Amino acid sequence: MQSIKVLLYLAVLGEGNIGELYSSLIEVSDPITIGDSTKDKVVAEVLSNTDYNYWSTEAEEDNTYVFNRDKDNNDAYWKTNNTVTIDNGYTLKLITGYDDYNLVLNCYNIFTNNGNVIMDDYGILGLNNNYTSNNYGTIDIINGALGLWDSAILNNTGTITLVGSGSVYIYKSTVTNTGTIDISNITDLTKWDNYGKFTLEGWSTFILPKSITNKINTSKWFNPITLNGTK
């Protein structure tokens, strides 16, 4: 049975006065699939019907489902307690209405991408808990971030491309690349953090930056990248 729980958080502004609503969390307990099985249903059976999650009507965004954490729409982001799957030929786009990084989708289960995932406009995709997620398709981190927390694992056999200030945050978690990770167009590495494992397996591809404007903060990047067992 569908289970959607909306939690509202109120800001308390000095002297005990309650200020405006600043955050709302949409918690989803059913599996989410972006694909043929949900295209005609507008995913309404699983996700709450809001103005900020929708099928894109842009001509260049065919079969694209958008999660928009928009500050003008109750600042909503999604916590998914079940699996999230993107089918081949479909795109999940995560964006915000902010000028700094904000969570858009926080997955507490297995995340499987067979299509395309885009993080832009400071959107963050979070992977949590001791689940193994897989990217078989493409992940484009244009101006956003991929975060892994609390023993999450991401196996990349597809392609992950980071552009501009796109970043990766790994905390007590693991990213393993047997496909391609391309950071050739990264300009800002200051928000990259690795407190976990980042492993490049044999025969995988890791494309280094052409030019870096802002370098990695070595006080935050605790752990080295592992090259097929050799640091």
Side-chain angles (χ1 to χ4, degrees):
M1 179 177 294
Q2 175 186 356
S3 175
I4 298 175
K5 180 169 58 178
V6 179
L7 304 178
L8 303 180
Y9 298 89
L10 296 178
V12 178
L13 306 178
E15 299 181 355
N17 296 322
I18 297 179
E20 63 181 357
L21 178 74
Y22 78 91
S23 178
S24 70
L25 164 66
I26 300 175
E27 188 168 343
V28 183
S29 296
D30 288 345
I32 295 176
T33 299
I34 308 300
D36 287 334
S37 63
T38 52
K39 182 65 183 291
D40 293 335
K41 300 177 183 178
V42 199
V43 204
E45 292 185 0
V46 175
L47 299 174
S48 64
N49 184 18
T50 71
D51 294 332
Y52 38 89
N53 57 296
Y54 53 88
W55 287 104
S56 175
T57 57
E58 300 292 331
E60 68 275 13
E61 292 186 338
D62 189 36
N63 291 336
T64 296
Y65 197 78
V66 179
F67 279 9
N68 181 8
R69 180 175 179 173
D70 191 337
K71 60 185 177 183
D72 296 324
N73 285 308
N74 291 335
D75 185 32
Y77 75 96
W78 285 259
K79 176 185 177 183
T80 59
N81 296 315
N82 213 314
T83 58
V84 178
T85 305
I86 298 91
D87 288 346
N88 184 29
Y90 286 82
T91 297
L92 175 62
K93 187 174 184 178
L94 309 178
I95 59 176
T96 75
Y98 291 81
D99 56 3
D100 201 358
Y101 293 94
N102 277 275
L103 268 170
V104 182
L105 176 62
N106 211 6
C107 181
Y108 281 75
N109 208 299
I110 297 172
F111 186 92
T112 304
N113 177 39
N114 299 298
N116 184 34
V117 178
I118 297 174
M119 283 92 90
D120 202 358
D121 193 24
Y122 297 104
I124 298 176
L125 168 63
L127 304 179
N128 290 267
N129 290 350
N130 188 21
Y131 289 97
T132 299
S133 297
N134 290 281
N135 175 47
Y136 302 111
T138 60
I139 296 178
D140 297 318
I141 308 175
I142 300 170
N143 185 21
L146 171 65
L148 290 89
W149 298 278
D150 300 330
S151 301
I153 298 171
L154 176 64
N155 293 326
N156 176 52
T157 59
T159 300
I160 299 177
T161 303
L162 294 103
V163 177
S165 59
S167 61
V168 174
Y169 182 94
I170 307 169
Y171 181 75
K172 294 183 179 178
S173 298
T174 302
V175 172
T176 300
N177 179 46
T178 56
T180 297
I181 296 179
D182 181 356
I183 62 172
S184 60
N185 290 303
I186 282 288
T187 57
D188 185 354
L189 286 169
T190 57
K191 293 188 180 297
W192 282 53
D193 295 311
N194 180 22
Y195 300 90
K197 296 180 181 179
F198 189 155
T199 303
L200 305 176
E201 295 291 350
W203 307 108
S204 66
T205 301
F206 187 56
I207 305 176
L208 295 174
K210 298 174 184 176
S211 177
I212 294 297
T213 303
N214 297 305
K215 299 179 181 180
I216 286 177
N217 183 344
T218 53
S219 66
K220 294 166 62 179
W221 188 274
F222 281 12
N223 298 330
I225 295 175
T226 301
L227 302 175
N228 196 25
T230 302
K231 294 182 180 179

